[in-house]
């Protein structure tokens, strides 16, 4: 079952990224976000679009139908589909809260870096910018819906984490028990 191993590896990677997302959200929530936080949130939005959503689609096409045929618990399988739909909404809200213009935006003025540093609570801390060819971005000066970002980000953390746990435990048991 090499496909099952692939799904497990992707779950482990997403679990790791959720921890990083939670740290970024807590930094924003407490007003202590550094210059790299928006880039990291943009990276997470790219992971949503390029990894998580295709992973969900593959599960809906390959894994869930197989599990539905093997399991008597149809409500459990239906709940996994429902959780995907809930998470699709949270993903959309997260990306929209980031601001579509910010997903490819670059700060144009050279003095923006100095403004960011002077406003930061972390002015005495050194943080190396992720992209040295671009100026760092800060949610305080960009058009970011911080409330929406926090709401949807924490929803993603809460539901995606428990969804992965269900798939790793219960779904794996269904597929492994019946296929051996």
């Amino acid at each position: 079952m090499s496909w099952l191993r692939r799904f497990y590896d992707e779950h482990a990677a997403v679990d790791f990224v959720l921890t990083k997302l939670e740290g970024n959200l807590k930094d924003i929530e407490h007003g202590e976000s550094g210059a790299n936080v928006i880039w990291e949130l943009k990276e997470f939005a790219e992971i949503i679009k390029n990894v998580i959503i295709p992973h969900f689609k593959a599960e809906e096409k390959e894994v869930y139908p197989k599990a539905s045929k093997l399991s008597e618990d149809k409500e459990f399988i239906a709940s996994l589909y429902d959780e995907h739909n809930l998470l699709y909404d949270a993903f959309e809200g997260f990306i929209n809260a980031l601001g579509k213009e910010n997903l490819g935006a670059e700060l144009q003025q050279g003095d923006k870096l100095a403004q960011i540093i002077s406003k930061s609570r972390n002015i005495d801390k050194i943080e190396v910018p992720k992209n040295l060819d671009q100026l760092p971005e800060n949610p305080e000066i960009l058009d970011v819906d911080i409330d929406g970002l926090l709401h949807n980000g924490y929803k993603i953390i809460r539901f995606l984490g428990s969804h992965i746990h269900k798939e790793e435990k219960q779904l794996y048991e269904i597929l492994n028990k019946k296929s051996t």
Side-chain angles (χ1 to χ4, degrees):
M1 281 198 194
S2 63
W3 59 271
L4 195 55
R5 181 72 184 155
R6 177 177 58 100
F7 283 104
Y8 174 79
D9 290 344
E10 289 177 2
H11 286 166
V14 169
D15 243 354
F16 175 77
V17 173
L18 287 178
T19 303
K20 182 177 178 181
L21 173 64
E22 185 173 17
N24 286 331
L25 294 177
K26 287 190 182 297
D27 284 349
I28 290 172
E29 187 175 25
H30 299 291
E32 296 183 8
S33 58
N36 289 327
V37 73
I38 291 298
W39 281 327
E40 290 177 359
L41 294 175
K42 286 180 190 181
E43 288 172 350
F44 185 70
E46 290 300 315
I47 290 169
I48 289 171
K49 291 187 280 185
N50 298 322
V51 177
I52 298 173
I53 290 175
H55 176 95
F56 277 17
K57 297 295 184 188
E59 285 177 335
E60 293 166 1
K61 183 179 177 188
E62 299 173 33
V63 179
Y64 294 174
K66 180 177 261 187
S68 185
K69 289 178 187 173
L70 297 173
S71 175
E72 296 173 11
D73 190 357
K74 305 299 181 200
E75 286 183 30
F76 171 70
I77 304 301
S79 75
L80 294 176
Y81 283 108
D82 291 341
E83 288 174 3
H84 274 197
N85 290 330
L86 178 87
L87 284 161
Y88 286 136
D89 290 341
F91 296 153
E92 182 179 359
F94 179 85
I95 291 168
N96 288 339
L98 246 181
K100 290 180 179 145
E101 65 280 352
N102 293 329
L103 292 176
E106 293 182 19
L107 298 175
Q108 301 297 321
Q109 300 173 3
D111 64 337
K112 290 286 187 182
L113 180 58
Q115 291 174 11
I116 292 168
I117 293 169
S118 68
K119 289 181 182 179
S120 174
R121 289 185 183 178
N122 296 321
I123 193 165
D124 58 336
K125 298 177 185 168
I126 296 174
E127 180 176 6
V128 177
K130 292 186 87 140
N131 297 325
L132 295 175
D133 60 333
Q134 298 175 8
L135 296 173
E137 300 167 348
N138 192 310
E140 296 164 358
I141 64 167
L142 294 173
D143 186 25
V144 174
D145 175 7
I146 292 178
D147 291 335
L149 194 65
L150 293 173
H151 173 76
N152 288 294
Y154 282 126
K155 185 187 282 187
I156 290 168
I157 291 166
R158 185 173 58 251
F159 289 116
L160 188 54
S162 77
H163 180 76
I164 288 172
H165 182 74
K166 282 183 190 178
E167 287 182 344
E168 290 294 317
K169 300 294 181 207
Q170 294 167 275
L171 185 62
Y172 181 78
E173 286 177 15
I174 291 168
L175 294 168
N176 197 31
K177 187 184 332 176
K178 301 291 183 166
S179 65
T180 55

